[in-house]
Amino acid sequence: MRTSRKIVGLSAAALLVLTACNPSSSDDEETTTGTEGSGEVSTDISDAPEQTLVVWDQEVRGGQNEQMERLNEAFMDKYPNITIERNSQSFDDLQTTLRLALSGNDAPDVVQANNSRSMMGQFVSSGQIQCLDDYVDAYEWDSRFSEQILGYSSYSEDATVFGEGCVYGLPQVGETVGIYYSESKLDELGLEYPQSWAELEEQLPQIVEAGETPLVLGNIDKWPAGHVFGAIQGEYVSADQISTLGFGNRGASWDTEENIEAAAELQNWVEEGYFNAGVNGADYDQVWQDFANGEGVYLIAGSWLAADLGDAMGDDVRFALPPSEGPTTTGGTGLPFAMTSAAKDPDVAAAYIDFITSDEAMQILAETGNVPVNNAADYADEAEGVVADVMIAFDELTTTGNITPYLDWATETMDQVIGDALQNLIAGNVTPEEFVQTLEEAYSEATN
């Protein structure tokens, strides 16, 4: 069945809540705070001068775009003195254009900045985005967000340490990499979703023998293979080691037998024909759409595809965490919303960030098929099918499992290094040992 219609649209009650009150403060009582840094801030923007707030985001897919449109409309209804000018781009386009925009004279006020050292880390070190600690205190964001989640967008002032320090952004959604599958296709093959990694490995050749493609992947943009490798790595490498590597902090090594085993597993899957042909030349969006149309049995990908796959496949598509012990897999948060140093009115920018990440906003995220970063399991009963699956999975991962950061966050160049290295590993141009050596060199150079 499709995502329930009662949660697809913005309910009148939820819209009323969002437009009637600021979730963290009252319009009748201005909140100010002063800490070492930017000084006093205000959480009441009802009397702010009429102005345009320029926001850049990458929420372009169906449910993602819908929640932004609805929240932006609700914000402007609440604050008629503020007009939002939204610039929405794909993830890849935003990665390219944001660097130039922040260094120019026409920088936006609020941006979604990739948590990675290559993006947010560089923006922190160059002073292009603002520390939000004053607003953390004023809005009590540290009560609404867990320390772990805030750590995903925290850096030391000099950007040398990732995962602690000042908060530079707030996310809306929780993310986890898992496995999508068609229940009917598994039934036709006489299979059930594997309960262990060993069972998954046993199924792959059986699926080939049945004339199906076990796994599908589009890796022309290089980053998607990192998610597949991260899921495999979670079976072989301890979560604390993966986290240290992913944050690019000192104290770990890529050059270990466990990482070599994970790389060998991925390469072997390719050599055995477990993936679709031409993985490195296949488009990510096209491949998941092909999966929705019946190509392949398993799709290892992020929870952000749930709403679109649910729309395309109805109740036939399901989502589960990788069947590794723990479980351990890549994930964390969606791209945080950060305030640029060029923001015309920081109080207005902060109020917007607070509004779109409030508890009430989490309800809207759930209604539009997204995974709220806070209290995801609370919304699972209101959702159906694959959307409920990912909410439950994210809650399980963050409460009883091990969530590990995206591996391309680690250094300012790791997105390119690991992207190229994975394409070479998949193409058979390098051995697993050479693959980990390439990553170890980049990691060591950045951390020593």
Side-chain angles (χ1 to χ4, degrees):
M1 83 201 102
R2 294 180 182 272
T3 303
S4 171
R5 289 194 179 276
K6 71 178 181 180
I7 66 168
V8 169
L10 177 59
S11 66
L15 179 59
L16 181 61
V17 169
L18 278 166
T19 56
C21 67
N22 186 314
S24 302
S25 63
S26 167
D27 284 341
D28 298 326
E29 184 176 337
E30 180 177 0
T31 301
T32 60
T33 185
T35 63
E36 185 177 352
S38 62
E40 283 195 348
V41 300
S42 173
T43 60
D44 181 4
I45 64 166
S46 57
D47 294 327
E50 290 190 7
Q51 60 189 274
T52 298
L53 182 74
V54 181
V55 179
W56 283 26
D57 69 62
Q58 58 100 50
E59 308 298 330
V60 296
R61 293 191 177 93
Q64 297 168 313
N65 180 63
E66 182 181 353
Q67 61 93 2
M68 288 304 302
E69 288 183 344
R70 294 178 183 274
L71 288 172
N72 284 348
E73 180 181 354
F75 183 83
M76 289 187 288
D77 284 345
K78 177 175 171 57
Y79 299 111
N81 51 325
I82 311 298
T83 299
I84 295 172
E85 180 182 307
R86 182 185 177 209
N87 182 329
S88 186
Q89 306 175 41
S90 71
F91 173 84
D92 292 313
D93 287 345
L94 188 63
Q95 295 276 96
T96 302
T97 60
L98 191 52
R99 297 178 193 275
L100 183 62
L102 292 188
S103 60
N105 296 324
D106 241 358
D109 301 290
V110 174
V111 298
Q112 266 189 301
N114 193 318
N115 317 55
S116 69
R117 286 180 181 268
S118 64
M119 294 293 286
M120 181 173 279
Q122 286 190 358
F123 299 153
V124 170
S125 63
S126 62
Q128 292 174 317
I129 59 175
Q130 299 189 39
C131 171
L132 300 178
D133 278 358
D134 289 336
Y135 294 102
V136 171
D137 293 339
Y139 285 104
E140 299 181 348
W141 289 337
D142 51 353
S143 296
R144 194 160 80 226
F145 291 84
S146 71
E147 182 178 356
Q148 180 187 35
I149 293 299
L150 289 177
Y152 273 72
S153 52
S154 295
Y155 280 87
S156 60
E157 187 176 353
D158 59 2
T160 58
V161 178
F162 185 5
E164 59 184 70
C166 182
V167 174
Y168 282 91
L170 289 185
Q172 291 182 305
V173 298
E175 293 182 352
T176 178
V177 170
I179 303 180
Y180 292 96
Y181 61 96
S182 160
E183 283 193 309
S184 64
K185 183 161 285 190
L186 287 187
D187 287 343
E188 290 171 6
L189 294 169
L191 299 173
E192 294 182 354
Y193 186 78
Q195 299 304 302
S196 68
W197 196 262
E199 188 177 342
L200 173 64
E201 291 175 316
E202 291 173 3
Q203 284 189 6
L204 299 179
Q206 295 174 23
I207 294 170
V208 171
E209 289 174 8
E212 291 277 2
T213 301
L215 298 156
V216 292
L217 171 65
N219 194 46
I220 194 170
D221 294 312
K222 302 180 183 180
W223 57 264
H227 300 167
V228 176
F229 178 76
I232 297 173
Q233 188 185 35
E235 173 64 16
Y236 292 94
V237 184
S238 67
D240 61 334
Q241 287 292 298
I242 299 173
S243 293
T244 302
L245 291 170
F247 282 131
N249 294 328
R250 294 181 180 179
S253 173
W254 271 102
D255 191 8
T256 67
E257 285 302 316
E258 293 81 5
N259 279 310
I260 292 172
E261 285 184 83
E265 176 99 87
L266 175 58
Q267 191 172 66
N268 180 64
W269 284 4
V270 176
E271 292 171 348
E272 293 295 327
Y274 297 158
F275 284 101
N276 49 296
V279 162
N280 281 338
D283 179 74
Y284 176 79
D285 285 314
Q286 185 60 56
V287 165
W288 73 252
Q289 291 171 40
D290 291 342
F291 174 79
N293 289 322
E295 295 189 20
V297 176
Y298 292 125
L299 169 65
I300 300 177
S303 49
W304 51 86
L305 289 180
D308 290 330
L309 285 172
D311 284 343
M313 299 174 69
D315 63 356
D316 189 43
V317 64
R318 304 309 298 261
F319 177 91
L321 294 173
S324 58
E325 188 175 353
T328 298
T329 190
T330 303
T333 75
L335 271 60
F337 284 82
M339 183 195 305
T340 72
S341 297
K344 297 178 289 296
D345 190 330
D347 288 341
V348 170
Y352 175 78
I353 293 172
D354 179 72
F355 189 89
I356 64 171
T357 61
S358 66
D359 289 340
E360 291 79 8
M362 294 297 113
Q363 176 68 42
I364 306 308
L365 289 163
E367 291 179 352
T368 49
N370 297 282
V371 182
V373 71
N374 293 329
N375 308 313
D378 293 349
Y379 304 101
D381 289 343
E382 303 177 43
E384 294 182 1
V386 69
V387 173
D389 287 347
V390 296
M391 291 178 183
I392 293 169
F394 182 74
D395 185 71
E396 177 187 349
L397 190 65
T398 54
T399 55
T400 62
N402 302 295
I403 190 167
T404 54
Y406 296 103
L407 297 169
D408 58 3
W409 287 357
T411 75
E412 293 185 355
T413 59
M414 187 60 82
D415 55 341
Q416 287 299 317
V417 172
I418 196 169
D420 291 340
L422 281 167
Q423 283 210 330
N424 282 322
L425 182 71
I426 288 170
N429 297 331
V430 297
T431 66
E433 290 82 4
E434 292 169 334
F435 168 78
V436 299
Q437 276 294 328
T438 296
L439 300 184
E440 177 65 16
E441 290 173 8
Y443 171 76
S444 297
E445 182 179 350
T447 57
N448 292 331

